[in-house]
Amino acid sequence: MNRMRRFIWLALFPVCFCLAGQKLTLPVQQGSVRFAAIGDMGTGDPPQYEVASRMNAIRAQFPFDFVIMLGDNIYGGNTSADFEKKFELPYRLLLDAGVKFYASLGNHDAATQKTYKPFNMGGQQYYTYKKGNVQFFALDTNYMNPLQITWLTKELQNSSSDWKICYFHHPLYSSSRFHGASVELRQTLEPLFIKYGVQAVFSGHDHVYERMKPQNGIHYFIEGAAGELRKGDLMRTDITAAGYDQDQSFLLVEISGDVLDFQAVSRLGMTVDEGVFSRAKTSPMTTGR
Amino acid sequence: MRSQVWILSLALSVSSSARLGGAGQTVKVVVADAPAVVIADFSARVRAYVSLRKNVEDSFTVLRSSNDSAEIAAHKIELAAMIVSARSDAGQGDIFTPEIAMRFRDIIRMTFQSPGAQSVRRTVQDKDPATPIVLRVNLAYPENSPLQMMPPTLLARLPDLPMDMGYRIIGRALVLLDNKTRLIVDFIPAAVP
């Protein structure tokens, strides 16, 4: 697909979306922290562009300020043509609107992505930043060495934010057939998450959407289908709260005070999951709407 | 082979051994010192590589960050070419000498036999389909091939590496990779049992 065709695609897709309609279930509170989560998106194929256009269209109703990237940001290479086709072009409208992207690295990503300014990694493979009352921790699960674990422990310990959210590529829990849970990583990270009160964790790697029932009080999400898709790969288990593996998707999140609302949206605009939970609960309860 | 390592260590730690007297105690000290000496040797060899990379990088532009992906890609290619040129005679075993490789194999074997080894093995087995990688020093790990997640348990046991250097398991080999250029710096074949 040449550049001109891509631009036409970008221009026309939101129109189709408007015709299809879009039901937003998020409250859009004044002063809330609003973001989107996408993983395994960097294919450069039409579905990635369609998801990006859907994100752009929904932003008219839900003006999110930033996007967290759950890894596999650029598949297949790291030439300038790759960055253009798999990031700059699909998300151009969002980038032009001032939406910031905060990347974490997947197993298909080169470490040099940390020096690419639009990924806002500050030259680090793992890093932290704050948005309102939320502190985000972007981790590199390709290489969870003692140095990173020490850094994370210290940052979590020193965090005074109401919300602590971690995101990275490999899921600690997963009901997908292809990859599934990274059990060893879970054994390494989850004790820290529990000890320091991490409330929500976002991952990719499995090319589906899945939300787990809270595990040890933590809400785990997989959103690894914002470009890639492994149709039919989700094998619902007793930890699955909701899941979707029939189309590409992305996740919208809003945090206002002690409440986190979420809505997962498919490429074609269908709401595939939604809900809300409070950080105040010691034993978090998630409710669908 | 293991006894050769300990004999080497014995020579290096002769003064501390001599102070202890008693045959049993001496052997104990030698066994304890052997890995430390070998690991120190490894760390020195890695530092020498990083120093070479820094010298090469200082000779043109050090790239901290850029909005221009073309600039990042070009920098990586140029840096890799200059490193390869600067160590054109490098070969397998220059950093992972036989003694160091033996010590690393011990660490890896212990990790894969320890309680919890099942989850370590599962980490190594979780991979995306990829074409087989040719392992050769100074060859770049292919851009279009995914990297294996390194088992955190193993990383906790292996010696720390300087910034922008990493271990990778590729097939059954343990590879020392330059993260800035993706160059294979050295590797231990058949390191994973």
Side-chain angles (χ1 to χ4, degrees):
Chain A
M1 191 185 286
N2 62 30
R3 290 185 65 175
M4 184 56 74
R5 284 177 66 193
R6 282 182 196 282
F7 279 125
I8 292 168
W9 193 248
L10 275 171
L12 288 181
F13 222 77
V15 176
C16 302
F17 287 157
C18 289
L19 291 172
Q22 179 64 62
K23 186 191 165 204
L24 186 77
T25 61
L26 298 165
V28 199
Q29 305 261 26
Q30 196 171 10
S32 61
V33 175
R34 295 185 285 263
F35 63 96
I38 54 174
D40 303 76
M41 56 288 185
T43 61
D45 293 332
Q48 180 189 9
Y49 283 72
E50 291 159 16
V51 168
S53 294
R54 171 66 68 184
M55 289 167 71
N56 187 56
I58 208 166
R59 205 170 162 268
Q61 300 171 69
F62 180 71
F64 56 88
D65 302 312
F66 61 102
V67 177
I68 63 171
M69 300 166 76
L70 308 175
D72 288 357
N73 311 313
I74 308 284
Y75 284 100
N78 284 274
T79 65
S80 58
D82 288 313
F83 276 85
E84 186 181 33
K85 181 183 172 189
K86 299 164 189 176
F87 178 71
E88 291 161 3
L89 275 175
Y91 305 114
R92 171 162 289 179
L93 294 174
L94 292 171
L95 289 163
D96 288 349
V99 174
K100 285 196 160 194
F101 288 73
Y102 294 90
S104 61
L105 298 177
N107 57 313
H108 286 265
D109 295 318
T112 49
Q113 287 183 16
K114 69 182 182 181
T115 59
Y116 180 56
K117 276 186 183 169
F119 281 0
N120 287 295
M121 299 176 76
Q124 305 298 322
Q125 282 177 234
Y126 46 90
Y127 59 102
T128 180
Y129 57 95
K130 289 181 188 174
K131 299 280 183 184
N133 61 340
V134 188
Q135 186 161 358
F136 292 86
F137 303 86
L139 307 181
D140 178 8
T141 48
N142 293 302
Y143 206 78
M144 189 52 63
N145 62 351
L147 202 65
Q148 186 175 184
I149 294 166
T150 304
W151 171 87
L152 177 63
T153 306
K154 195 176 157 195
E155 292 294 335
L156 284 171
Q157 203 168 17
N158 293 339
S159 175
S160 55
S161 295
D162 293 338
W163 287 86
K164 298 179 186 75
I165 289 178
C166 291
Y167 65 95
F168 44 81
H169 189 58
H170 301 85
L172 304 195
Y173 294 92
S174 169
S175 304
S176 286
R177 286 181 185 87
F178 194 83
H179 288 300
S182 296
V183 176
E184 189 194 2
L185 194 64
R186 186 201 305 164
Q187 290 162 349
T188 307
L189 291 179
E190 197 175 49
L192 290 176
F193 295 168
I194 295 167
K195 184 173 182 183
Y196 297 110
V198 171
Q199 295 98 348
V201 173
F202 299 89
S203 300
H205 201 40
D206 274 315
H207 299 163
V208 300
Y209 168 77
E210 186 180 9
R211 173 168 59 87
M212 267 34 84
K213 291 172 188 167
Q215 300 295 310
N216 296 303
I218 300 166
H219 296 263
Y220 288 95
F221 294 83
I222 294 175
E223 180 44 272
E228 286 280 14
L229 174 68
R230 205 164 273 130
K231 212 169 180 174
D233 193 49
L234 186 63
M235 181 180 57
R236 286 166 192 269
T237 63
D238 55 0
I239 64 164
T240 308
Y244 186 67
D245 63 0
Q246 294 302 301
D247 197 0
Q248 274 81 1
S249 59
F250 62 99
L251 185 62
L252 298 169
V253 181
E254 178 172 9
I255 299 173
S256 183
D258 289 337
V259 175
L260 184 151
D261 288 84
F262 58 88
Q263 181 177 1
V265 181
S266 79
R267 178 179 60 100
L268 296 176
M270 188 169 74
T271 295
V272 297
D273 188 25
E274 58 180 307
V276 58
F277 61 87
S278 166
R279 80 170 184 94
K281 309 269 187 203
T282 46
S283 177
M285 291 164 60
T286 309
T287 55
R289 267 191 284 254
Chain B
M1 196 63 166
R2 181 193 293 267
S3 59
Q4 286 174 349
V5 177
W6 289 345
I7 289 164
L8 171 72
S9 304
L10 177 62
L12 293 167
S13 61
V14 64
S15 57
S16 59
S17 303
R19 277 196 296 273
L20 287 169
Q25 284 171 306
T26 303
V27 170
K28 227 174 161 180
V29 170
V30 170
V31 171
D33 281 356
V37 172
V38 174
I39 296 306
D41 182 23
F42 168 75
S43 297
R45 287 168 190 270
V46 174
R47 277 199 306 274
Y49 173 82
V50 172
S51 172
L52 178 144
R53 181 178 69 186
K54 187 177 184 311
N55 289 340
V56 165
E57 202 169 15
D58 286 348
S59 69
F60 61 113
T61 319
V62 177
L63 184 69
R64 302 257 178 256
S65 61
S66 175
N67 279 312
D68 183 357
S69 56
E71 188 185 10
I72 294 169
H75 178 269
K76 191 178 87 168
I77 291 166
E78 190 176 0
L79 180 61
M82 289 176 79
I83 290 172
V84 169
S85 167
R87 57 191 306 263
S88 56
D89 57 346
Q92 193 265 317
D94 284 358
I95 291 179
F96 290 123
T97 62
E99 292 76 19
I100 292 169
M102 180 187 292
R103 176 65 192 138
F104 271 68
R105 280 197 174 96
D106 283 348
I107 295 171
I108 294 167
R109 195 185 59 246
M110 281 188 288
T111 306
F112 278 83
Q113 287 173 351
S114 64
Q118 200 181 348
S119 60
V120 177
R121 198 166 284 282
R122 198 171 150 187
T123 301
V124 173
Q125 285 167 347
D126 171 36
K127 57 184 80 173
D128 285 307
T131 51
I133 308 295
V134 176
L135 287 182
R136 200 166 67 224
V137 170
N138 278 345
L139 208 64
Y141 187 89
E143 285 281 355
N144 58 359
S145 288
L147 282 162
Q148 183 77 47
M149 183 212 284
M150 274 301 288
T153 313
L154 181 58
L155 285 176
R157 293 177 179 196
L158 292 174
D160 289 336
L161 290 173
M163 184 102 149
D164 291 317
M165 298 295 292
Y167 300 108
R168 293 291 173 185
I169 289 174
I170 300 172
R172 287 182 57 215
L174 181 77
V175 176
L176 181 65
L177 207 64
D178 177 341
N179 290 338
K180 279 195 171 184
T181 58
R182 279 202 161 193
L183 285 176
I184 295 168
V185 180
D186 203 354
F187 61 95
I188 306 173
V192 177

